Amino acid sequence: MVKPDIHTLAHHLKQERLYVASEKQLIQRLNNEVLKTAERLYRTAWIAKQQRINLDRLILTSAEASPAECCQHAKVLEDTQFVDGYKTLGFQESIYGEFLGRLRENPRLVASCLVAGERLNHEHTQGVIHTVFTSLYGNCIMQEDECYLLQVLRYLVEFELKESDNPRRMLRRGTCAFSILFKLFSEGLYSAKLFLTATLHEPIMQLLVEDEDHLETDPAKLIERFTPAQQERLFGEKGTDEYRRKVQAAVEANEAKLVALVNTFIGYLRQNTYCFPQSLRWIMSQMYKTLAHVERLEVGEVRTMCTDLLLTCFICPAIVNPEQYGIISDAPINEVARFNLMQVGQLLQQLAMSDADDGDPRRKSSLSKFDKTCVAAFLDVVIGGRAVETPPMSSMNLLEGLARTVVYMTHNQLLALVDFVRSVTAGDQLREEDHLALETLLANVPQSRTTKSNSLELTPSNTPQLSPATTPANKKNRLPIGIPSTLTSPMKITTNTHTYINNKYF
């Protein structure tokens, strides 16, 4: 009786061992598939952001960037081939990887470097800011990267805006490190896209369907839109009381339409406040809390800066260009509709700043038709509440447990970043503790090679806002046949010797 029982036990143990081995193999295979999918995601996100930077370059700096040049860059980005970092850097990949990993994990040092670079007027500062977002923090796809970048933004408020003589003017220019990083972050944030789509899709579609005329509220500009014959037909003989009366009636009719449209937009803003991105709410509340304690700044002025950030850098650009933000995709926007969207955006900004804006009598007359507290109440919801020190964690993190251990960047971007950090370390704009931290960080990093072709040049002089991805290539980098040599192949640099999922090495 004992022997059969032993045979049965041995059989069951063998079956269990086979089952466990099979499950381990399945988990291993699934982990590998997850890592491959994540790698495709990182690469696609890198290319997509470079495409967006290229598009912004065409729109905002069309004088320096011709459509043909931007189309060529777009084609190069579509055909981008990634290479492993060791193939370009050799044994130095681990040194650069450690440098990037330690820099990524020190948001205070990153912010301090960016501010010091701006004060030193370093020529590659804007390019490095883009590299910090797209490469060092991987377009904030991972929750950990998002938390790091939010801390960078918080330190930028403290080091850059708080120390500025006129932080409002700095924000409105949109060229400081905080403004650029905030714009890059909010454009790519998934929860921000959900909020903008939920808030703006219906009112924008309503505007496109209902309005066929320019909703101009300036009498002089309204008249300029018509030929002399049309003016006489619509308003009568110029200079008469009837002419002035009809022009004023047309202006009032346009104002009434704009009031209805803006009220619709405000209604949707209020209605969708619940889905406003928590991470953006956190950074705005941090900004308000920090700047409100600055003696030279009035509380009203700080609120105005928060409004500038909320509307000028986030909501109004999506109103004016909804197709770029994916809010609408199937409805064409003509010149008339674009003008009317701009009018809505301007009115929203004026409403938010009505308390601080003296304005002209005509503008005050227009704003008097609105509830002046409508946008201010929305701002209160965003900046209100308890300001916690740690960035919020996403309630739906689909990539939880997955750690990013690689950085994607071109060889030129890497050399430019190292050169930038060295220049900042050699300058006199850093705090003593930050200076010592950078010296330690750079201790083992190789000196940049003296360049004969523009290997360190991230931004050529003839295109001041050229993105890092569209810089002249190092001649030693090989590109696929048929692709113009205007982009160095992006490298995958490992920043950690272990890759893991759910905190279990494999």
Side-chain angles (χ1 to χ4, degrees):
M1 292 294 294
V2 177
K3 191 172 182 180
D5 289 342
I6 293 176
H7 282 298
T8 303
L9 176 61
H11 175 73
H12 284 305
L13 289 175
K14 184 177 181 180
Q15 291 296 320
E16 185 175 341
R17 180 183 177 187
L18 291 173
Y19 173 76
V20 171
S22 175
E23 289 297 303
K24 283 183 177 180
Q25 290 177 1
L26 177 61
I27 293 173
Q28 177 80 26
R29 187 165 62 252
L30 290 175
N31 280 347
N32 289 335
E33 290 177 4
V34 169
L35 288 177
K36 289 178 182 178
T37 303
E39 187 169 342
R40 288 197 299 271
L41 175 62
Y42 299 147
R43 294 181 176 187
T44 302
W46 189 90
I47 294 173
K49 179 56 72 173
Q50 301 301 330
Q51 291 279 28
R52 181 59 182 266
I53 294 172
N54 187 42
L55 176 62
D56 289 343
R57 173 171 163 258
L58 173 63
I59 295 172
L60 302 176
T61 61
S62 56
E64 293 84 9
S66 67
E69 181 185 356
C70 289
C71 286
Q72 183 188 33
H73 291 316
K75 173 61 176 173
V76 170
L77 286 168
E78 287 178 2
D79 297 329
T80 297
Q81 298 294 323
F82 291 83
V83 298
D84 290 327
Y86 72 86
K87 294 181 180 179
T88 302
L89 302 174
F91 71 93
Q92 294 177 344
E93 186 207 11
S94 60
I95 299 175
Y96 283 111
E98 183 182 1
F99 164 76
L100 294 171
R102 291 170 62 187
L103 184 63
R104 169 180 174 264
E105 295 169 358
N106 196 334
R108 174 192 168 92
L109 196 59
V110 172
S112 185
C113 285
L114 294 178
V115 173
E118 288 185 323
R119 291 173 180 169
L120 293 170
N121 294 318
H122 195 284
E123 59 180 330
H124 297 321
T125 301
Q126 286 203 9
V128 168
I129 294 171
H130 284 109
T131 301
V132 165
F133 181 80
T134 60
S135 298
L136 196 64
Y137 293 115
N139 293 296
C140 290
I141 294 174
M142 306 298 296
Q143 180 74 55
E144 187 179 30
D145 288 317
E146 182 178 322
C147 289
Y148 280 140
L149 188 78
L150 286 172
Q151 292 179 52
V152 172
L153 288 169
R154 184 187 67 177
Y155 284 121
L156 285 174
V157 170
E158 182 178 344
F159 299 157
E160 186 173 50
L161 299 182
K162 186 178 178 181
E163 300 297 324
S164 172
D165 295 332
N166 194 335
R168 184 183 177 189
R169 182 174 61 188
M170 178 181 286
L171 277 176
R172 301 207 77 174
R173 284 177 179 172
T175 56
C176 65
F178 179 85
S179 295
I180 295 173
L181 274 181
F182 182 87
K183 181 175 182 294
L184 290 169
F185 177 61
S186 60
E187 284 178 349
L189 192 62
Y190 182 67
S191 57
K193 294 178 182 179
L194 290 179
F195 170 76
L196 292 175
T197 302
T199 302
L200 302 179
H201 182 267
E202 288 299 326
I204 288 177
M205 291 301 296
Q206 180 179 331
L207 183 148
L208 296 180
V209 170
E210 294 181 358
D211 293 308
E212 299 178 356
D213 300 319
H214 292 85
L215 298 182
E216 181 61 78
T217 58
D218 186 328
K221 293 180 180 179
L222 175 68
I223 295 170
E224 290 176 357
R225 293 191 177 277
F226 301 102
T227 64
Q230 289 175 323
Q231 291 178 23
E232 187 173 355
R233 178 170 57 84
L234 292 172
F235 309 119
E237 185 178 351
K238 193 171 185 178
T240 63
D241 291 339
E242 180 186 9
Y243 179 88
R244 287 189 289 270
R245 188 168 58 254
K246 287 186 176 181
V247 169
Q248 185 60 33
V251 169
E252 290 176 355
N254 286 344
E255 285 182 345
K257 289 182 179 179
L258 275 176
V259 168
L261 281 172
V262 172
N263 282 333
T264 301
F265 276 85
I266 292 172
Y268 276 91
L269 273 175
R270 286 175 167 175
Q271 182 179 331
N272 293 283
T273 303
Y274 72 94
C275 65
F276 189 85
Q278 291 296 321
S279 51
L280 296 186
R281 179 176 294 181
W282 181 83
I283 193 58
M284 291 194 66
S285 63
Q286 290 292 322
M287 173 179 164
Y288 180 78
K289 182 187 74 171
T290 301
L291 297 182
H293 288 87
V294 178
E295 292 184 0
R296 66 179 182 278
L297 296 177
E298 302 272 343
V299 174
E301 190 176 357
V302 176
R303 287 180 59 86
T304 301
M305 285 188 281
C306 291
T307 302
D308 280 342
L309 188 64
L310 178 64
L311 294 178
T312 308
C313 297
F314 179 53
I315 295 177
C316 288
I319 292 176
V320 176
N321 297 298
E323 63 272 44
Q324 290 185 23
Y325 290 80
I327 297 171
I328 61 171
S329 57
D330 53 352
I333 298 181
N334 57 28
E335 186 269 336
V336 174
R338 187 81 65 190
F339 175 82
N340 293 340
L341 288 172
M342 292 175 66
Q343 290 285 80
V344 169
Q346 290 174 2
L347 273 173
L348 283 173
Q349 289 176 277
Q350 291 168 11
L351 273 173
M353 296 182 287
S354 57
D355 294 336
D357 186 14
D358 294 331
D360 56 62
R362 183 175 56 82
R363 182 176 297 173
K364 282 190 173 182
S365 175
S366 298
L367 296 179
S368 65
K369 300 175 182 178
F370 296 92
D371 177 8
K372 291 185 178 180
T373 63
C374 53
V375 178
F378 175 70
L379 179 65
D380 288 335
V381 174
V382 173
I383 65 176
R386 187 169 59 91
V388 296
E389 289 298 318
T390 56
M393 300 295 289
S394 174
S395 57
M396 278 189 63
N397 182 16
L398 301 179
L399 300 176
E400 184 177 0
L402 180 64
R404 182 173 67 89
T405 58
V406 295
V407 168
Y408 292 94
M409 63 196 321
T410 66
H411 194 202
N412 285 351
Q413 287 176 325
L414 175 63
L415 295 180
L417 177 61
V418 173
D419 177 65
F420 175 84
V421 174
R422 287 194 188 281
S423 299
V424 166
T425 307
D428 58 354
Q429 296 296 323
L430 290 173
R431 296 168 178 79
E432 183 63 28
E433 61 270 25
D434 294 334
H435 187 271
L436 292 174
L438 281 181
E439 284 187 335
T440 303
L441 199 62
L442 291 167
N444 297 323
V445 178
Q447 289 288 339
S448 299
R449 287 171 290 179
T450 305
T451 175
K452 297 181 181 179
S453 60
N454 299 320
S455 64
L456 281 177
E457 201 165 310
L458 207 58
T459 308
S461 58
N462 63 334
T463 51
Q465 294 191 10
L466 190 61
S467 74
T470 53
T471 55
N474 188 320
K475 293 180 180 179
K476 293 184 179 180
N477 286 22
R478 295 181 179 179
L479 293 174
I481 297 175
I483 297 180
S485 299
T486 56
L487 175 68
T488 56
S489 300
M491 301 179 296
K492 183 179 77 171
I493 303 174
T494 303
T495 59
N496 194 321
T497 56
H498 300 289
T499 305
Y500 58 92
I501 296 178
N502 293 329
N503 299 321
K504 293 182 180 179
Y505 295 98
F506 65 88

